[in-house]
Amino acid sequence: VVGTLPEGVSVNYTLNGEAFTGATNVGTYEVVANFSSTNANYNAIPSKTATLKIASADYDVSGITFTDKTVTYTGSNQTLEVVGTLPEGVSVNYTLNGEAFTGAVNAGTYEVVANFTGSNPNYNAIPSKAATLTINKATFDVSEFDFEQHVVFDGKEHTYVISKDIL
């Protein structure tokens, strides 16, 4: 009730016949205001019903990013991760084509999805975010090898052998 009640009039609130002092969770509440008076010279004030609606809130994920990453093949596992601090009670898992994704080693392009799960039912679901992990092929480093061989024609077959393991 908003406003000042007349002298001698009090109000109590009920929800489904039980005392109601407020709500904190998402939902729709039909609250009844029951009036009583100590002055017998007035007619009883009829109860009034109001609807209290508490809508789901959005998690604040404004500081969370999930961006593309490009690396060159190293033989090591490469991953993508969200950057930023997740809200309390929120976790993230990563998928590739609907399957759990923990990283990739081989050259290729990987479309990774970050899926968020919140433990508080009073918040809306957080939309998934997608990013691409690109692992480019590496180039062998053969810069320290000399591939020239000079021989004088002598009518014999000549070969060239590299004596160092280049892999």
Side-chain angles (χ1 to χ4, degrees):
V1 173
V2 177
T4 304
L5 293 171
E7 188 174 321
V9 175
S10 61
V11 65
N12 68 40
Y13 303 96
T14 58
L15 174 68
N16 300 325
E18 302 288 325
F20 179 77
T21 57
T24 57
N25 292 320
V26 168
T28 301
Y29 303 88
E30 294 293 323
V31 180
V32 178
N34 303 294
F35 301 92
S36 59
S37 173
T38 57
N39 191 331
N41 293 313
Y42 287 91
N43 291 319
I45 302 171
S47 296
K48 298 205 178 270
T49 301
T51 302
L52 170 61
K53 292 182 182 179
I54 301 176
S56 297
D58 290 329
Y59 284 104
D60 180 7
V61 291
S62 60
I64 304 298
T65 59
F66 190 53
T67 57
D68 298 343
K69 177 179 172 183
T70 300
V71 297
T72 300
Y73 172 81
T74 63
S76 298
N77 192 47
Q78 302 293 329
T79 61
L80 284 178
E81 294 183 355
V82 295
V83 175
T85 303
L86 293 172
E88 184 176 334
V90 173
S91 61
V92 63
N93 67 60
Y94 304 95
T95 58
L96 173 70
N97 299 325
E99 301 290 326
F101 178 79
T102 57
V105 174
N106 296 323
T109 302
Y110 304 88
E111 299 294 327
V112 181
V113 177
N115 304 291
F116 302 93
T117 305
S119 62
N120 190 330
N122 292 309
Y123 286 84
N124 293 314
I126 301 169
S128 297
K129 295 179 182 265
T132 302
L133 170 62
T134 303
I135 303 176
N136 292 324
K137 291 182 177 185
T139 303
F140 287 110
D141 181 9
V142 291
S143 61
E144 65 183 71
F145 298 104
D146 179 9
F147 290 102
E148 292 186 26
Q149 180 181 20
H150 299 281
V151 293
V152 176
F153 176 76
D154 60 6
K156 297 179 182 175
E157 182 178 313
H158 296 273
T159 60
Y160 187 77
V161 176
I162 297 175
S163 63
K164 184 173 181 181
D165 182 11
I166 63 169
L167 300 176

